[in-house]
Amino acid sequence: MLYNTMIHEAKNHNRLALNATHAVYNARIKFIKLALDITTLGSGFRSSVVNKDISDLSDRINRLALNAELDFVGIVTGDEIPLCRLSPHQISNQITLPENPLVRHTIRHRLMTAGTIVFPQEFMILENPELAKRLQNVPKNAPEQKTTDANKQRSCMAIAAAIPIFETRSGGNLIGVLYGGMLLHQNMRIVNSIPKSFLFDTIQSKADTPTVSIFFNNICIVTNMVDRNGKQTFGAHVPDDVRQQVLIRGNQWTTRQQDSTDRYLVSYDPICDIFGERVGMLSIAVSESNHLFLQHKFILYLSLAILASVIFAIAMGIFFTHRIMQPIHRLIKASQEVSDGNVSPDLGPISNDKEIAVLQITFGQMVRSMKRRRMESQTKIIQSEKQASIGRLAAGVGHEINNPLTGVLTYTHMLLRKKDISEDIRSDLNVIVESTERIRKIVKGLLDFSRQTRLDPERIDINRLAASTIKLMENQALLKGVLIEFKPGKDIPMLVIDRSKIESVLLNILINALDATKSADTITAQTTTAVSANDVDHGGVEIVITDTGCGILPENLNKLFDPFFSTKEVGKGTGLGLSVSYGIVKEHGGTIRVQSEFGKGSTFFIWLPLNQQNQEKQDR
């Protein structure tokens, strides 16, 4: 089991080392792009391209190739006509030159291009004849890369960049392209530039250093791994399962491989060209003997640590047993008292031991929290029972009053239609109508409070609903000199709610806010996504309505949602608006709460769940 754990950790380390190796590989590509980009910045270079000063351009690209260690560098015009290259071969317009896909891609998109690219071997040899020796052992394309073009039967892999050259630095016509890069085949500069060891140099001086290899398709083209004769293993093929996982599926893959002398952990990462095609692989191999050496050391150190820990534990256990057990016994006794219903147990004095003291304090906080929650639960039960009783009473009273009230109102309107009554009587009848309408409004509030109507849910954009509701209040607020602002949240999800009921909730709160404000005050409404205050795992949308009005007295905050409670003057409020709103929000599975500071304003928070069905199931 320990061996498997070590191998698992070794594989994880291999993957990290492979990521670092790929980062070095990409850094080399960025270096090439930077070197070419700096070369194109000079006005003299651009002038030489425009004037086709071959002598000056040849001198520049030779210095560029020397300083940046590039294997090939060249310049072509905007029409893909070569101007000069490193090769001493004379450029002739009468011969058909091999295709340069890097240049063609750059000209087509008019943007600098950098990355891995596959070139025809004829192009590479024409660019730099000295590269022919490094391409002698390059095999034909793998079977999965069939092609009907005979000129592309043999190809090679390189890292390169191409920079478009415009008339001016700010743009204009494309006058040419500067390209250059490094052939990867047998290029030891690449693999040797990667750190020799990612783990073992600081731990094991005699450990075998990791080896790095680059593959073109599934064939090794450069590596610092050597065989028993000390020769690089160019031309080796990867196993078919590696080819399937890395080249075909594009996965990063770690496997164990055996050669004639040792077993290795080898990690592979696909290499994609500038067109996004997987054309090769990058790999790092580490000998398992390194991990075995570490395993032996680990076992030794672990054994010594266990022995020391056992001795230390026995000594400390004897020393602390008496000191610890006494407050622990008190906590056990207190736990038994809590289980029997006593939420104020005696915990005794706080221990001088820090850990035991923390345990005692935490236990005390837990007990106080239980006591507070029990009181809150009792308060909620009493509130629910009170509202249910008032609701039943309101329903009975409302129905009994509504019928005779309708008769009074009907006959009063009939009397008002008569033309032979005096103005004094007409004035008295109007007072009756107004008072009766007010009574009917109160009865309607009673019925709304007591009636459990079914929801008519639909998918609603809460921002639109809030905006339309606020618009209904704008004229009334304008007359009073109060500014109403709406700040809709971004990416607010759709809610499944009863449009008319939630609209009435918003209107109730906005009307209360307007009544609590004076001229030059502001009312601000905003929407945002938020989790439930009672369940952090339940997401929803919160509507926050804030006013800078007179605020609410602290002693009235707990009574705010009680039916018939109102801070308004007699005749200006029934005290049912917030109670009805509370019931509507609760029907939707949401919550409504308020924060207020007397003399500075109030803030109402309306939270509605995203998934009403799930919330209802949770409540049940």
PDB file of all heavy atoms in Angstrom, residues 200 204 206-210 262 286-295:
ATOM      1  N   PHE A 200      14.482  15.826  -7.247  1.00  0.00           N
ATOM      2  CA  PHE A 200      15.417  14.964  -6.552  1.00  0.00           C
ATOM      3  C   PHE A 200      16.754  15.609  -6.226  1.00  0.00           C
ATOM      4  O   PHE A 200      17.487  15.105  -5.390  1.00  0.00           O
ATOM      5  CB  PHE A 200      15.652  13.690  -7.384  1.00  0.00           C
ATOM      6  CG  PHE A 200      14.381  12.937  -7.638  1.00  0.00           C
ATOM      7  CD1 PHE A 200      13.754  12.975  -8.868  1.00  0.00           C
ATOM      8  CD2 PHE A 200      13.782  12.222  -6.616  1.00  0.00           C
ATOM      9  CE1 PHE A 200      12.587  12.293  -9.084  1.00  0.00           C
ATOM     10  CE2 PHE A 200      12.599  11.537  -6.830  1.00  0.00           C
ATOM     11  CZ  PHE A 200      11.997  11.572  -8.066  1.00  0.00           C
ATOM     12  N   GLN A 204      18.019  13.900  -3.032  1.00  0.00           N
ATOM     13  CA  GLN A 204      18.865  12.745  -3.292  1.00  0.00           C
ATOM     14  C   GLN A 204      19.888  13.121  -4.345  1.00  0.00           C
ATOM     15  O   GLN A 204      19.572  13.263  -5.512  1.00  0.00           O
ATOM     16  CB  GLN A 204      17.998  11.569  -3.780  1.00  0.00           C
ATOM     17  CG  GLN A 204      18.790  10.316  -4.062  1.00  0.00           C
ATOM     18  CD  GLN A 204      17.909   9.223  -4.649  1.00  0.00           C
ATOM     19  OE1 GLN A 204      16.724   9.407  -4.767  1.00  0.00           O
ATOM     20  NE2 GLN A 204      18.507   8.123  -5.025  1.00  0.00           N
ATOM     21  N   LYS A 206      22.257  11.493  -5.678  1.00  0.00           N
ATOM     22  CA  LYS A 206      22.624  10.466  -6.643  1.00  0.00           C
ATOM     23  C   LYS A 206      21.442  10.012  -7.502  1.00  0.00           C
ATOM     24  O   LYS A 206      21.533   9.030  -8.214  1.00  0.00           O
ATOM     25  CB  LYS A 206      23.202   9.255  -5.905  1.00  0.00           C
ATOM     26  CG  LYS A 206      24.512   9.552  -5.186  1.00  0.00           C
ATOM     27  CD  LYS A 206      25.059   8.302  -4.534  1.00  0.00           C
ATOM     28  CE  LYS A 206      26.385   8.588  -3.819  1.00  0.00           C
ATOM     29  NZ  LYS A 206      26.944   7.367  -3.172  1.00  0.00           N
ATOM     30  N   ALA A 207      20.322  10.702  -7.391  1.00  0.00           N
ATOM     31  CA  ALA A 207      19.145  10.276  -8.146  1.00  0.00           C
ATOM     32  C   ALA A 207      19.338  10.518  -9.629  1.00  0.00           C
ATOM     33  O   ALA A 207      20.041  11.432 -10.050  1.00  0.00           O
ATOM     34  CB  ALA A 207      17.912  11.049  -7.661  1.00  0.00           C
ATOM     35  N   ASP A 208      18.713   9.661 -10.450  1.00  0.00           N
ATOM     36  CA  ASP A 208      18.727   9.853 -11.893  1.00  0.00           C
ATOM     37  C   ASP A 208      17.854  11.050 -12.233  1.00  0.00           C
ATOM     38  O   ASP A 208      16.707  11.132 -11.784  1.00  0.00           O
ATOM     39  CB  ASP A 208      18.200   8.609 -12.610  1.00  0.00           C
ATOM     40  CG  ASP A 208      19.115   7.405 -12.388  1.00  0.00           C
ATOM     41  OD1 ASP A 208      20.320   7.633 -12.203  1.00  0.00           O
ATOM     42  OD2 ASP A 208      18.614   6.267 -12.402  1.00  0.00           O
ATOM     43  N   THR A 209      18.387  11.968 -13.043  1.00  0.00           N
ATOM     44  CA  THR A 209      17.624  13.162 -13.385  1.00  0.00           C
ATOM     45  C   THR A 209      16.537  12.824 -14.397  1.00  0.00           C
ATOM     46  O   THR A 209      16.704  11.901 -15.215  1.00  0.00           O
ATOM     47  CB  THR A 209      18.549  14.244 -13.973  1.00  0.00           C
ATOM     48  OG1 THR A 209      19.219  13.698 -15.106  1.00  0.00           O
ATOM     49  CG2 THR A 209      19.567  14.683 -12.948  1.00  0.00           C
ATOM     50  N   PRO A 210      15.420  13.521 -14.383  1.00  0.00           N
ATOM     51  CA  PRO A 210      14.358  13.269 -15.363  1.00  0.00           C
ATOM     52  C   PRO A 210      14.849  13.535 -16.781  1.00  0.00           C
ATOM     53  O   PRO A 210      15.727  14.373 -17.006  1.00  0.00           O
ATOM     54  CB  PRO A 210      13.266  14.266 -14.957  1.00  0.00           C
ATOM     55  CG  PRO A 210      13.567  14.623 -13.548  1.00  0.00           C
ATOM     56  CD  PRO A 210      15.044  14.553 -13.414  1.00  0.00           C
ATOM     57  N   ASP A 262      15.845  -0.353 -16.459  1.00  0.00           N
ATOM     58  CA  ASP A 262      15.092   0.287 -15.386  1.00  0.00           C
ATOM     59  C   ASP A 262      13.630   0.426 -15.784  1.00  0.00           C
ATOM     60  O   ASP A 262      13.260   0.246 -16.951  1.00  0.00           O
ATOM     61  CB  ASP A 262      15.691   1.667 -15.070  1.00  0.00           C
ATOM     62  CG  ASP A 262      15.307   2.164 -13.675  1.00  0.00           C
ATOM     63  OD1 ASP A 262      14.518   1.484 -13.003  1.00  0.00           O
ATOM     64  OD2 ASP A 262      15.823   3.232 -13.284  1.00  0.00           O
ATOM     65  N   VAL A 286      10.832   9.732 -15.423  1.00  0.00           N
ATOM     66  CA  VAL A 286      11.588   9.687 -14.176  1.00  0.00           C
ATOM     67  C   VAL A 286      11.741   8.232 -13.762  1.00  0.00           C
ATOM     68  O   VAL A 286      10.776   7.465 -13.776  1.00  0.00           O
ATOM     69  CB  VAL A 286      10.875  10.480 -13.062  1.00  0.00           C
ATOM     70  CG1 VAL A 286      11.656  10.397 -11.763  1.00  0.00           C
ATOM     71  CG2 VAL A 286      10.686  11.931 -13.477  1.00  0.00           C
ATOM     72  N   SER A 287      12.936   7.838 -13.398  1.00  0.00           N
ATOM     73  CA  SER A 287      13.199   6.469 -12.975  1.00  0.00           C
ATOM     74  C   SER A 287      12.494   6.182 -11.650  1.00  0.00           C
ATOM     75  O   SER A 287      12.514   6.997 -10.725  1.00  0.00           O
ATOM     76  CB  SER A 287      14.709   6.240 -12.825  1.00  0.00           C
ATOM     77  OG  SER A 287      14.972   4.983 -12.245  1.00  0.00           O
ATOM     78  N   GLU A 288      11.858   4.987 -11.571  1.00  0.00           N
ATOM     79  CA  GLU A 288      11.182   4.616 -10.328  1.00  0.00           C
ATOM     80  C   GLU A 288      12.165   4.365  -9.200  1.00  0.00           C
ATOM     81  O   GLU A 288      11.778   4.359  -8.030  1.00  0.00           O
ATOM     82  CB  GLU A 288      10.320   3.371 -10.560  1.00  0.00           C
ATOM     83  CG  GLU A 288       9.040   3.656 -11.319  1.00  0.00           C
ATOM     84  CD  GLU A 288       8.096   2.473 -11.300  1.00  0.00           C
ATOM     85  OE1 GLU A 288       8.410   1.489 -10.601  1.00  0.00           O
ATOM     86  OE2 GLU A 288       7.055   2.532 -11.973  1.00  0.00           O
ATOM     87  N   SER A 289      13.431   4.134  -9.536  1.00  0.00           N
ATOM     88  CA  SER A 289      14.416   3.907  -8.472  1.00  0.00           C
ATOM     89  C   SER A 289      14.536   5.124  -7.569  1.00  0.00           C
ATOM     90  O   SER A 289      14.822   5.005  -6.378  1.00  0.00           O
ATOM     91  CB  SER A 289      15.776   3.568  -9.092  1.00  0.00           C
ATOM     92  OG  SER A 289      16.242   4.647  -9.895  1.00  0.00           O
ATOM     93  N   ASN A 290      14.302   6.316  -8.122  1.00  0.00           N
ATOM     94  CA  ASN A 290      14.323   7.520  -7.293  1.00  0.00           C
ATOM     95  C   ASN A 290      13.261   7.449  -6.204  1.00  0.00           C
ATOM     96  O   ASN A 290      13.501   7.751  -5.035  1.00  0.00           O
ATOM     97  CB  ASN A 290      14.082   8.756  -8.161  1.00  0.00           C
ATOM     98  CG  ASN A 290      15.194   8.969  -9.165  1.00  0.00           C
ATOM     99  OD1 ASN A 290      16.321   8.560  -8.943  1.00  0.00           O
ATOM    100  ND2 ASN A 290      14.867   9.585 -10.281  1.00  0.00           N
ATOM    101  N   HIS A 291      12.046   7.024  -6.596  1.00  0.00           N
ATOM    102  CA  HIS A 291      10.953   6.959  -5.646  1.00  0.00           C
ATOM    103  C   HIS A 291      11.153   5.835  -4.641  1.00  0.00           C
ATOM    104  O   HIS A 291      10.740   5.954  -3.483  1.00  0.00           O
ATOM    105  CB  HIS A 291       9.640   6.789  -6.395  1.00  0.00           C
ATOM    106  CG  HIS A 291       9.381   7.872  -7.389  1.00  0.00           C
ATOM    107  ND1 HIS A 291       9.066   9.161  -7.020  1.00  0.00           N
ATOM    108  CD2 HIS A 291       9.429   7.871  -8.754  1.00  0.00           C
ATOM    109  CE1 HIS A 291       8.908   9.904  -8.097  1.00  0.00           C
ATOM    110  NE2 HIS A 291       9.120   9.139  -9.163  1.00  0.00           N
ATOM    111  N   LEU A 292      11.778   4.732  -5.066  1.00  0.00           N
ATOM    112  CA  LEU A 292      12.063   3.651  -4.120  1.00  0.00           C
ATOM    113  C   LEU A 292      13.052   4.109  -3.058  1.00  0.00           C
ATOM    114  O   LEU A 292      12.923   3.770  -1.877  1.00  0.00           O
ATOM    115  CB  LEU A 292      12.606   2.437  -4.875  1.00  0.00           C
ATOM    116  CG  LEU A 292      11.596   1.715  -5.777  1.00  0.00           C
ATOM    117  CD1 LEU A 292      12.299   0.609  -6.556  1.00  0.00           C
ATOM    118  CD2 LEU A 292      10.442   1.151  -4.966  1.00  0.00           C
ATOM    119  N   PHE A 293      14.055   4.888  -3.488  1.00  0.00           N
ATOM    120  CA  PHE A 293      15.025   5.409  -2.532  1.00  0.00           C
ATOM    121  C   PHE A 293      14.324   6.311  -1.512  1.00  0.00           C
ATOM    122  O   PHE A 293      14.550   6.221  -0.301  1.00  0.00           O
ATOM    123  CB  PHE A 293      16.115   6.174  -3.279  1.00  0.00           C
ATOM    124  CG  PHE A 293      17.159   6.776  -2.376  1.00  0.00           C
ATOM    125  CD1 PHE A 293      18.227   6.022  -1.921  1.00  0.00           C
ATOM    126  CD2 PHE A 293      17.058   8.104  -1.970  1.00  0.00           C
ATOM    127  CE1 PHE A 293      19.183   6.582  -1.086  1.00  0.00           C
ATOM    128  CE2 PHE A 293      18.012   8.664  -1.147  1.00  0.00           C
ATOM    129  CZ  PHE A 293      19.079   7.900  -0.708  1.00  0.00           C
ATOM    130  N   LEU A 294      13.450   7.158  -2.010  1.00  0.00           N
ATOM    131  CA  LEU A 294      12.696   8.031  -1.109  1.00  0.00           C
ATOM    132  C   LEU A 294      11.764   7.223  -0.203  1.00  0.00           C
ATOM    133  O   LEU A 294      11.555   7.566   0.958  1.00  0.00           O
ATOM    134  CB  LEU A 294      11.869   9.035  -1.921  1.00  0.00           C
ATOM    135  CG  LEU A 294      12.661  10.116  -2.654  1.00  0.00           C
ATOM    136  CD1 LEU A 294      11.703  10.984  -3.451  1.00  0.00           C
ATOM    137  CD2 LEU A 294      13.460  10.963  -1.684  1.00  0.00           C
ATOM    138  N   GLN A 295      11.197   6.135  -0.759  1.00  0.00           N
ATOM    139  CA  GLN A 295      10.322   5.303   0.052  1.00  0.00           C
ATOM    140  C   GLN A 295      11.067   4.709   1.238  1.00  0.00           C
ATOM    141  O   GLN A 295      10.551   4.692   2.366  1.00  0.00           O
ATOM    142  CB  GLN A 295       9.735   4.191  -0.823  1.00  0.00           C
ATOM    143  CG  GLN A 295       8.824   3.246  -0.062  1.00  0.00           C
ATOM    144  CD  GLN A 295       8.354   2.093  -0.925  1.00  0.00           C
ATOM    145  OE1 GLN A 295       8.595   2.069  -2.112  1.00  0.00           O
ATOM    146  NE2 GLN A 295       7.686   1.147  -0.311  1.00  0.00           N
TER     147      GLN A 295
END
